[in-house]
mmCIF file of all heavy atoms in Angstrom:
data_model
loop_
_atom_site.group_PDB
_atom_site.id
_atom_site.type_symbol
_atom_site.label_atom_id
_atom_site.label_comp_id
_atom_site.label_asym_id
_atom_site.label_seq_id
_atom_site.Cartn_x
_atom_site.Cartn_y
_atom_site.Cartn_z
ATOM 1 N N ASP A 81 -23.584 -51.266 -27.777
ATOM 2 C CA ASP A 81 -23.214 -52.685 -27.824
ATOM 3 C C ASP A 81 -21.738 -52.893 -28.126
ATOM 4 O O ASP A 81 -21.203 -53.983 -27.896
ATOM 5 C CB ASP A 81 -24.050 -53.414 -28.881
ATOM 6 C CG ASP A 81 -25.502 -53.592 -28.462
ATOM 7 O OD1 ASP A 81 -25.801 -53.423 -27.257
ATOM 8 O OD2 ASP A 81 -26.341 -53.875 -29.341
ATOM 9 N N GLU A 82 -21.085 -51.849 -28.645
ATOM 10 C CA GLU A 82 -19.656 -51.962 -28.969
ATOM 11 C C GLU A 82 -18.762 -51.670 -27.769
ATOM 12 O O GLU A 82 -17.540 -51.585 -27.911
ATOM 13 C CB GLU A 82 -19.304 -51.015 -30.119
ATOM 14 C CG GLU A 82 -19.894 -51.420 -31.458
ATOM 15 C CD GLU A 82 -19.274 -52.683 -32.029
ATOM 16 O OE1 GLU A 82 -18.261 -53.149 -31.481
ATOM 17 O OE2 GLU A 82 -19.808 -53.200 -33.030
ATOM 18 N N GLY A 83 -19.341 -51.474 -26.599
ATOM 19 C CA GLY A 83 -18.527 -51.283 -25.408
ATOM 20 C C GLY A 83 -18.574 -49.882 -24.837
ATOM 21 O O GLY A 83 -17.628 -49.443 -24.168
ATOM 22 N N PHE A 84 -19.684 -49.177 -25.087
ATOM 23 C CA PHE A 84 -19.846 -47.822 -24.577
ATOM 24 C C PHE A 84 -21.092 -47.746 -23.700
ATOM 25 O O PHE A 84 -21.949 -48.629 -23.738
ATOM 26 C CB PHE A 84 -19.953 -46.824 -25.736
ATOM 27 C CG PHE A 84 -18.739 -46.808 -26.617
ATOM 28 C CD1 PHE A 84 -18.701 -47.556 -27.790
ATOM 29 C CD2 PHE A 84 -17.631 -46.054 -26.281
ATOM 30 C CE1 PHE A 84 -17.582 -47.556 -28.607
ATOM 31 C CE2 PHE A 84 -16.495 -46.045 -27.081
ATOM 32 C CZ PHE A 84 -16.475 -46.796 -28.255
ATOM 33 N N LEU A 85 -21.201 -46.695 -22.910
ATOM 34 C CA LEU A 85 -22.374 -46.527 -22.051
ATOM 35 C C LEU A 85 -22.847 -45.082 -22.067
ATOM 36 O O LEU A 85 -22.066 -44.142 -22.242
ATOM 37 C CB LEU A 85 -22.076 -46.988 -20.621
ATOM 38 C CG LEU A 85 -20.925 -46.348 -19.844
ATOM 39 C CD1 LEU A 85 -21.392 -45.091 -19.113
ATOM 40 C CD2 LEU A 85 -20.360 -47.331 -18.830
ATOM 41 N N ASP A 86 -24.144 -44.934 -21.926
ATOM 42 C CA ASP A 86 -24.814 -43.643 -21.817
ATOM 43 C C ASP A 86 -24.715 -43.230 -20.355
ATOM 44 O O ASP A 86 -25.386 -43.784 -19.491
ATOM 45 C CB ASP A 86 -26.269 -43.816 -22.272
ATOM 46 C CG ASP A 86 -27.154 -42.597 -22.044
ATOM 47 O OD1 ASP A 86 -26.697 -41.618 -21.427
ATOM 48 O OD2 ASP A 86 -28.317 -42.650 -22.471
ATOM 49 N N SER A 87 -23.880 -42.247 -20.058
ATOM 50 C CA SER A 87 -23.547 -41.938 -18.664
ATOM 51 C C SER A 87 -24.771 -41.532 -17.850
ATOM 52 O O SER A 87 -24.887 -41.896 -16.672
ATOM 53 C CB SER A 87 -22.475 -40.852 -18.597
ATOM 54 O OG SER A 87 -22.956 -39.634 -19.148
ATOM 55 N N PHE A 88 -25.690 -40.777 -18.458
ATOM 56 C CA PHE A 88 -26.865 -40.338 -17.697
ATOM 57 C C PHE A 88 -27.738 -41.533 -17.323
ATOM 58 O O PHE A 88 -28.148 -41.689 -16.160
ATOM 59 C CB PHE A 88 -27.676 -39.316 -18.493
ATOM 60 C CG PHE A 88 -28.865 -38.786 -17.728
ATOM 61 C CD1 PHE A 88 -28.708 -37.786 -16.784
ATOM 62 C CD2 PHE A 88 -30.132 -39.313 -17.936
ATOM 63 C CE1 PHE A 88 -29.796 -37.308 -16.058
ATOM 64 C CE2 PHE A 88 -31.224 -38.841 -17.225
ATOM 65 C CZ PHE A 88 -31.059 -37.838 -16.281
ATOM 66 N N ARG A 89 -28.041 -42.393 -18.283
ATOM 67 C CA ARG A 89 -28.888 -43.549 -17.981
ATOM 68 C C ARG A 89 -28.160 -44.595 -17.146
ATOM 69 O O ARG A 89 -28.795 -45.379 -16.441
ATOM 70 C CB ARG A 89 -29.418 -44.168 -19.271
ATOM 71 C CG ARG A 89 -30.507 -43.336 -19.931
ATOM 72 C CD ARG A 89 -31.753 -43.279 -19.072
ATOM 73 N NE ARG A 89 -32.743 -42.319 -19.604
ATOM 74 C CZ ARG A 89 -33.501 -41.579 -18.859
ATOM 75 N NH1 ARG A 89 -33.421 -41.629 -17.533
ATOM 76 N NH2 ARG A 89 -34.369 -40.745 -19.399
ATOM 77 N N GLU A 90 -26.850 -44.589 -17.180
ATOM 78 C CA GLU A 90 -26.094 -45.477 -16.292
ATOM 79 C C GLU A 90 -26.368 -45.122 -14.840
ATOM 80 O O GLU A 90 -26.505 -46.001 -13.979
ATOM 81 C CB GLU A 90 -24.598 -45.355 -16.596
ATOM 82 C CG GLU A 90 -23.699 -46.243 -15.768
ATOM 83 C CD GLU A 90 -23.794 -47.713 -16.114
ATOM 84 O OE1 GLU A 90 -24.318 -48.052 -17.202
ATOM 85 O OE2 GLU A 90 -23.332 -48.544 -15.300
ATOM 86 N N LEU A 91 -26.473 -43.833 -14.559
ATOM 87 C CA LEU A 91 -26.693 -43.376 -13.188
ATOM 88 C C LEU A 91 -28.167 -43.177 -12.846
ATOM 89 O O LEU A 91 -28.560 -43.317 -11.692
ATOM 90 C CB LEU A 91 -25.947 -42.053 -12.969
ATOM 91 C CG LEU A 91 -24.420 -42.112 -13.102
ATOM 92 C CD1 LEU A 91 -23.838 -40.708 -13.007
ATOM 93 C CD2 LEU A 91 -23.804 -43.015 -12.048
ATOM 94 N N TYR A 92 -28.957 -42.839 -13.851
ATOM 95 C CA TYR A 92 -30.372 -42.528 -13.624
ATOM 96 C C TYR A 92 -31.246 -43.301 -14.619
ATOM 97 O O TYR A 92 -31.885 -42.711 -15.499
ATOM 98 C CB TYR A 92 -30.604 -41.017 -13.777
ATOM 99 C CG TYR A 92 -29.670 -40.178 -12.935
ATOM 100 C CD1 TYR A 92 -28.556 -39.555 -13.497
ATOM 101 C CD2 TYR A 92 -29.889 -40.026 -11.569
ATOM 102 C CE1 TYR A 92 -27.692 -38.796 -12.718
ATOM 103 C CE2 TYR A 92 -29.036 -39.261 -10.787
ATOM 104 C CZ TYR A 92 -27.938 -38.653 -11.362
ATOM 105 O OH TYR A 92 -27.077 -37.895 -10.596
ATOM 106 N N PRO A 93 -31.280 -44.625 -14.498
ATOM 107 C CA PRO A 93 -31.929 -45.450 -15.529
ATOM 108 C C PRO A 93 -33.428 -45.241 -15.676
ATOM 109 O O PRO A 93 -33.967 -45.473 -16.757
ATOM 110 C CB PRO A 93 -31.609 -46.880 -15.083
ATOM 111 C CG PRO A 93 -31.312 -46.777 -13.617
ATOM 112 C CD PRO A 93 -30.665 -45.450 -13.429
ATOM 113 N N THR A 94 -34.106 -44.816 -14.622
ATOM 114 C CA THR A 94 -35.565 -44.689 -14.693
ATOM 115 C C THR A 94 -36.060 -43.269 -14.458
ATOM 116 O O THR A 94 -37.266 -43.055 -14.307
ATOM 117 C CB THR A 94 -36.230 -45.626 -13.665
ATOM 118 O OG1 THR A 94 -35.797 -45.257 -12.339
ATOM 119 C CG2 THR A 94 -35.859 -47.075 -13.922
ATOM 120 N N THR A 95 -35.170 -42.292 -14.440
ATOM 121 C CA THR A 95 -35.579 -40.908 -14.187
ATOM 122 C C THR A 95 -36.316 -40.347 -15.391
ATOM 123 O O THR A 95 -35.750 -40.271 -16.497
ATOM 124 C CB THR A 95 -34.351 -40.033 -13.882
ATOM 125 O OG1 THR A 95 -33.715 -40.520 -12.705
ATOM 126 C CG2 THR A 95 -34.765 -38.579 -13.671
ATOM 127 N N PRO A 96 -37.573 -39.926 -15.227
ATOM 128 C CA PRO A 96 -38.352 -39.417 -16.360
ATOM 129 C C PRO A 96 -38.210 -37.909 -16.548
ATOM 130 O O PRO A 96 -37.663 -37.214 -15.691
ATOM 131 C CB PRO A 96 -39.789 -39.771 -15.962
ATOM 132 C CG PRO A 96 -39.776 -39.606 -14.459
ATOM 133 C CD PRO A 96 -38.396 -40.033 -14.003
ATOM 134 N N TYR A 97 -38.708 -37.430 -17.660
ATOM 135 C CA TYR A 97 -38.831 -35.995 -17.957
ATOM 136 C C TYR A 97 -37.485 -35.287 -18.004
ATOM 137 O O TYR A 97 -37.409 -34.072 -17.823
ATOM 138 C CB TYR A 97 -39.748 -35.305 -16.938
ATOM 139 C CG TYR A 97 -41.029 -36.037 -16.671
ATOM 140 C CD1 TYR A 97 -41.429 -36.346 -15.369
ATOM 141 C CD2 TYR A 97 -41.847 -36.464 -17.717
ATOM 142 C CE1 TYR A 97 -42.607 -37.036 -15.117
ATOM 143 C CE2 TYR A 97 -43.022 -37.156 -17.475
ATOM 144 C CZ TYR A 97 -43.390 -37.441 -16.185
ATOM 145 O OH TYR A 97 -44.548 -38.128 -15.935
ATOM 146 N N ALA A 98 -36.421 -36.029 -18.249
ATOM 147 C CA ALA A 98 -35.070 -35.453 -18.297
ATOM 148 C C ALA A 98 -34.732 -35.159 -19.758
ATOM 149 O O ALA A 98 -34.256 -36.025 -20.485
ATOM 150 C CB ALA A 98 -34.058 -36.427 -17.690
ATOM 151 N N TYR A 99 -34.979 -33.934 -20.174
ATOM 152 C CA TYR A 99 -34.819 -33.560 -21.571
ATOM 153 C C TYR A 99 -33.749 -32.481 -21.732
ATOM 154 O O TYR A 99 -33.433 -31.754 -20.790
ATOM 155 C CB TYR A 99 -36.148 -33.050 -22.133
ATOM 156 C CG TYR A 99 -37.312 -33.974 -21.876
ATOM 157 C CD1 TYR A 99 -38.516 -33.488 -21.357
ATOM 158 C CD2 TYR A 99 -37.220 -35.350 -22.125
ATOM 159 C CE1 TYR A 99 -39.591 -34.328 -21.109
ATOM 160 C CE2 TYR A 99 -38.286 -36.197 -21.878
ATOM 161 C CZ TYR A 99 -39.468 -35.691 -21.366
ATOM 162 O OH TYR A 99 -40.529 -36.524 -21.113
ATOM 163 N N THR A 100 -33.209 -32.386 -22.956
ATOM 164 C CA THR A 100 -32.188 -31.371 -23.231
ATOM 165 C C THR A 100 -32.541 -30.482 -24.411
ATOM 166 O O THR A 100 -31.810 -29.553 -24.724
ATOM 167 C CB THR A 100 -30.822 -32.036 -23.513
ATOM 168 O OG1 THR A 100 -30.901 -32.803 -24.730
ATOM 169 C CG2 THR A 100 -30.399 -32.937 -22.360
ATOM 170 N N PHE A 101 -33.652 -30.789 -25.098
ATOM 171 C CA PHE A 101 -34.087 -29.996 -26.251
ATOM 172 C C PHE A 101 -35.591 -29.779 -26.193
ATOM 173 O O PHE A 101 -36.351 -30.700 -25.866
ATOM 174 C CB PHE A 101 -33.737 -30.702 -27.566
ATOM 175 C CG PHE A 101 -34.462 -30.125 -28.759
ATOM 176 C CD1 PHE A 101 -33.964 -29.006 -29.410
ATOM 177 C CD2 PHE A 101 -35.642 -30.686 -29.208
ATOM 178 C CE1 PHE A 101 -34.656 -28.457 -30.498
ATOM 179 C CE2 PHE A 101 -36.335 -30.148 -30.294
ATOM 180 C CZ PHE A 101 -35.836 -29.034 -30.942
ATOM 181 N N TRP A 102 -36.006 -28.553 -26.519
ATOM 182 C CA TRP A 102 -37.420 -28.203 -26.591
ATOM 183 C C TRP A 102 -37.615 -27.303 -27.809
ATOM 184 O O TRP A 102 -36.902 -26.312 -27.972
ATOM 185 C CB TRP A 102 -37.872 -27.431 -25.352
ATOM 186 C CG TRP A 102 -37.586 -28.125 -24.063
ATOM 187 C CD1 TRP A 102 -38.458 -28.875 -23.311
ATOM 188 C CD2 TRP A 102 -36.342 -28.120 -23.326
ATOM 189 N NE1 TRP A 102 -37.834 -29.341 -22.177
ATOM 190 C CE2 TRP A 102 -36.534 -28.899 -22.164
ATOM 191 C CE3 TRP A 102 -35.088 -27.555 -23.560
ATOM 192 C CZ2 TRP A 102 -35.523 -29.107 -21.229
ATOM 193 C CZ3 TRP A 102 -34.081 -27.768 -22.640
ATOM 194 C CH2 TRP A 102 -34.297 -28.530 -21.484
ATOM 195 N N THR A 103 -38.600 -27.618 -28.646
ATOM 196 C CA THR A 103 -38.894 -26.724 -29.759
ATOM 197 C C THR A 103 -39.273 -25.343 -29.222
ATOM 198 O O THR A 103 -39.814 -25.207 -28.121
ATOM 199 C CB THR A 103 -40.038 -27.285 -30.626
ATOM 200 O OG1 THR A 103 -40.369 -26.322 -31.624
ATOM 201 C CG2 THR A 103 -41.282 -27.592 -29.797
ATOM 202 N N TYR A 104 -38.974 -24.322 -30.023
ATOM 203 C CA TYR A 104 -39.366 -22.968 -29.640
ATOM 204 C C TYR A 104 -40.876 -22.772 -29.722
ATOM 205 O O TYR A 104 -41.411 -21.783 -29.224
ATOM 206 C CB TYR A 104 -38.683 -21.944 -30.566
ATOM 207 C CG TYR A 104 -37.219 -21.720 -30.274
ATOM 208 C CD1 TYR A 104 -36.263 -21.909 -31.266
ATOM 209 C CD2 TYR A 104 -36.794 -21.301 -29.027
ATOM 210 C CE1 TYR A 104 -34.918 -21.683 -31.019
ATOM 211 C CE2 TYR A 104 -35.459 -21.075 -28.760
ATOM 212 C CZ TYR A 104 -34.516 -21.267 -29.760
ATOM 213 O OH TYR A 104 -33.187 -21.040 -29.509
ATOM 214 N N MET A 105 -41.565 -23.691 -30.358
ATOM 215 C CA MET A 105 -42.990 -23.528 -30.597
ATOM 216 C C MET A 105 -43.827 -24.069 -29.442
ATOM 217 O O MET A 105 -43.369 -24.877 -28.649
ATOM 218 C CB MET A 105 -43.374 -24.237 -31.902
ATOM 219 C CG MET A 105 -42.574 -23.757 -33.115
ATOM 220 S SD MET A 105 -42.954 -24.703 -34.586
ATOM 221 C CE MET A 105 -44.642 -24.176 -34.848
ATOM 222 N N MET A 106 -45.073 -23.612 -29.372
ATOM 223 C CA MET A 106 -46.096 -24.167 -28.470
ATOM 224 C C MET A 106 -45.716 -24.114 -26.992
ATOM 225 O O MET A 106 -46.175 -24.929 -26.198
ATOM 226 C CB MET A 106 -46.412 -25.618 -28.865
ATOM 227 C CG MET A 106 -46.951 -25.755 -30.275
ATOM 228 S SD MET A 106 -47.089 -27.453 -30.831
ATOM 229 C CE MET A 106 -45.369 -27.922 -31.000
ATOM 230 N N ASN A 107 -44.832 -23.181 -26.640
ATOM 231 C CA ASN A 107 -44.434 -23.027 -25.243
ATOM 232 C C ASN A 107 -43.903 -24.334 -24.663
ATOM 233 O O ASN A 107 -44.131 -24.669 -23.491
ATOM 234 C CB ASN A 107 -45.625 -22.532 -24.415
ATOM 235 C CG ASN A 107 -45.207 -21.818 -23.152
ATOM 236 O OD1 ASN A 107 -44.104 -21.269 -23.074
ATOM 237 N ND2 ASN A 107 -46.063 -21.821 -22.154
ATOM 238 N N ALA A 108 -43.198 -25.098 -25.508
ATOM 239 C CA ALA A 108 -42.792 -26.456 -25.147
ATOM 240 C C ALA A 108 -41.862 -26.494 -23.930
ATOM 241 O O ALA A 108 -41.969 -27.395 -23.093
ATOM 242 C CB ALA A 108 -42.110 -27.135 -26.336
ATOM 243 N N ARG A 109 -40.969 -25.533 -23.834
ATOM 244 C CA ARG A 109 -40.013 -25.596 -22.724
ATOM 245 C C ARG A 109 -40.695 -25.363 -21.384
ATOM 246 O O ARG A 109 -40.400 -26.043 -20.394
ATOM 247 C CB ARG A 109 -38.872 -24.600 -22.926
ATOM 248 C CG ARG A 109 -37.757 -24.778 -21.912
ATOM 249 C CD ARG A 109 -36.451 -24.233 -22.405
ATOM 250 N NE ARG A 109 -35.357 -24.577 -21.517
ATOM 251 C CZ ARG A 109 -34.069 -24.350 -21.790
ATOM 252 N NH1 ARG A 109 -33.723 -23.782 -22.931
ATOM 253 N NH2 ARG A 109 -33.144 -24.686 -20.924
ATOM 254 N N ALA A 110 -41.616 -24.404 -21.332
ATOM 255 C CA ALA A 110 -42.336 -24.141 -20.076
ATOM 256 C C ALA A 110 -43.151 -25.354 -19.650
ATOM 257 O O ALA A 110 -43.327 -25.608 -18.452
ATOM 258 C CB ALA A 110 -43.237 -22.929 -20.242
ATOM 259 N N LYS A 111 -43.624 -26.121 -20.627
ATOM 260 C CA LYS A 111 -44.396 -27.329 -20.329
ATOM 261 C C LYS A 111 -43.517 -28.564 -20.187
ATOM 262 O O LYS A 111 -44.007 -29.648 -19.884
ATOM 263 C CB LYS A 111 -45.412 -27.569 -21.450
ATOM 264 C CG LYS A 111 -46.426 -26.446 -21.628
ATOM 265 C CD LYS A 111 -47.265 -26.695 -22.872
ATOM 266 C CE LYS A 111 -48.219 -25.545 -23.128
ATOM 267 N NZ LYS A 111 -48.954 -25.719 -24.407
ATOM 268 N N ASN A 112 -42.216 -28.397 -20.423
ATOM 269 C CA ASN A 112 -41.250 -29.498 -20.434
ATOM 270 C C ASN A 112 -41.687 -30.612 -21.392
ATOM 271 O O ASN A 112 -41.643 -31.796 -21.072
ATOM 272 C CB ASN A 112 -41.005 -30.069 -19.037
ATOM 273 C CG ASN A 112 -39.718 -30.898 -18.988
ATOM 274 O OD1 ASN A 112 -38.788 -30.676 -19.766
ATOM 275 N ND2 ASN A 112 -39.657 -31.861 -18.076
ATOM 276 N N VAL A 113 -42.093 -30.210 -22.574
ATOM 277 C CA VAL A 113 -42.390 -31.163 -23.645
ATOM 278 C C VAL A 113 -41.132 -31.228 -24.511
ATOM 279 O O VAL A 113 -40.950 -30.442 -25.433
ATOM 280 C CB VAL A 113 -43.612 -30.718 -24.466
ATOM 281 C CG1 VAL A 113 -43.898 -31.721 -25.582
ATOM 282 C CG2 VAL A 113 -44.823 -30.581 -23.558
ATOM 283 N N GLY A 114 -40.242 -32.147 -24.169
ATOM 284 C CA GLY A 114 -38.926 -32.132 -24.791
ATOM 285 C C GLY A 114 -38.390 -33.484 -25.185
ATOM 286 O O GLY A 114 -39.087 -34.504 -25.154
ATOM 287 N N TRP A 115 -37.115 -33.456 -25.561
ATOM 288 C CA TRP A 115 -36.357 -34.636 -25.999
ATOM 289 C C TRP A 115 -34.990 -34.624 -25.314
ATOM 290 O O TRP A 115 -34.400 -33.559 -25.096
ATOM 291 C CB TRP A 115 -36.106 -34.592 -27.499
ATOM 292 C CG TRP A 115 -37.301 -34.623 -28.388
ATOM 293 C CD1 TRP A 115 -38.388 -33.803 -28.363
ATOM 294 C CD2 TRP A 115 -37.499 -35.522 -29.486
ATOM 295 N NE1 TRP A 115 -39.260 -34.138 -29.372
ATOM 296 C CE2 TRP A 115 -38.733 -35.182 -30.077
ATOM 297 C CE3 TRP A 115 -36.748 -36.572 -30.020
ATOM 298 C CZ2 TRP A 115 -39.235 -35.870 -31.179
ATOM 299 C CZ3 TRP A 115 -37.253 -37.244 -31.118
ATOM 300 C CH2 TRP A 115 -38.489 -36.902 -31.685
ATOM 301 N N ARG A 116 -34.446 -35.782 -25.016
ATOM 302 C CA ARG A 116 -33.048 -35.876 -24.573
ATOM 303 C C ARG A 116 -32.212 -36.257 -25.787
ATOM 304 O O ARG A 116 -32.201 -37.398 -26.219
ATOM 305 C CB ARG A 116 -32.889 -36.909 -23.446
ATOM 306 C CG ARG A 116 -31.486 -36.863 -22.806
ATOM 307 C CD ARG A 116 -31.413 -37.730 -21.564
ATOM 308 N NE ARG A 116 -31.446 -39.140 -21.871
ATOM 309 C CZ ARG A 116 -30.357 -39.921 -21.989
ATOM 310 N NH1 ARG A 116 -29.144 -39.411 -21.823
ATOM 311 N NH2 ARG A 116 -30.488 -41.198 -22.269
ATOM 312 N N LEU A 117 -31.508 -35.264 -26.326
ATOM 313 C CA LEU A 117 -30.702 -35.454 -27.529
ATOM 314 C C LEU A 117 -29.210 -35.295 -27.267
ATOM 315 O O LEU A 117 -28.396 -35.600 -28.131
ATOM 316 C CB LEU A 117 -31.114 -34.431 -28.600
ATOM 317 C CG LEU A 117 -32.570 -34.464 -29.080
ATOM 318 C CD1 LEU A 117 -32.807 -33.358 -30.092
ATOM 319 C CD2 LEU A 117 -32.933 -35.812 -29.675
ATOM 320 N N ASP A 118 -28.851 -34.800 -26.086
ATOM 321 C CA ASP A 118 -27.454 -34.464 -25.772
ATOM 322 C C ASP A 118 -26.910 -35.448 -24.747
ATOM 323 O O ASP A 118 -27.564 -35.735 -23.737
ATOM 324 C CB ASP A 118 -27.384 -33.037 -25.245
ATOM 325 C CG ASP A 118 -27.969 -32.037 -26.244
ATOM 326 O OD1 ASP A 118 -29.209 -31.867 -26.255
ATOM 327 O OD2 ASP A 118 -27.196 -31.468 -27.012
#
C-alpha cells in the first residue's frame, strides 16, 4: 500500500501452486506442498 508491488503476482495474479519453500518432512517437495516466501 506504500507504493510497492509483488512482481510475481503483478505478472501472474492467478497462477496456483507457485511455491518457493517446502519443509524437508513428509516428502513435501515431491508433492509440491509448499509456501511462496521469496
Side-chain angles (χ1 to χ4, degrees):
D81 288 345
E82 291 291 350
F84 299 96
L85 58 87
D86 172 354
S87 64
F88 183 80
R89 286 294 172 216
E90 181 71 17
L91 297 174
Y92 308 101
T94 61
T95 298
Y97 313 128
Y99 309 132
T100 65
F101 165 84
W102 305 261
T103 175
Y104 284 123
M105 304 175 68
M106 299 171 290
N107 204 25
R109 189 157 188 172
K111 299 173 184 175
N112 197 27
V113 180
W115 297 54
R116 189 171 71 96
L117 300 178
D118 303 83

